[in-house]
Amino acid sequence: MKYLALAAALLLPATAALASGGAVPADTEAQIRTMLTDQGYEVRSVQTEDGMYEAYALKDGQRYEIYLDTALNIVRGADSDD
């Protein structure tokens, strides 16, 4: 039980930060930019929204809003179904 409380205490600030929107840690933003650039996107910005990372990007003249979960898997937008 003690470990469960510790795990919850450690996860709460990270979850709250994602839920509130705003700045993305620099290393996470770099990973997202690299991943999307490798897929042919021109990344304009990365931020947090609704507990996920949100990247605004261009590809082939189209604008995309790409949502990624905390494991940096694309959840919506880009190549996945909305």
Side-chain angles (χ1 to χ4, degrees), residues 15-72:
T15 304
L18 281 179
S20 66
V24 176
D27 58 333
T28 302
E29 182 174 347
Q31 287 179 296
I32 292 169
R33 285 181 178 276
T34 298
M35 180 180 76
L36 294 176
T37 299
D38 289 349
Q39 294 178 26
Y41 293 92
E42 180 184 333
V43 180
R44 296 298 178 121
S45 70
V46 179
Q47 55 192 346
T48 59
E49 184 175 307
D50 298 329
M52 290 188 276
Y53 297 110
E54 180 180 25
Y56 292 93
L58 299 174
K59 183 177 182 179
D60 300 327
Q62 297 288 331
R63 292 187 302 182
Y64 293 89
E65 289 183 30
I66 304 167
Y67 291 86
L68 302 97
D69 61 18
T70 55
L72 304 186

Side-chain angles (χ1 to χ4, degrees), residues 6-17:
L6 178 61
L10 292 174
L11 288 176
L12 186 59
T15 304

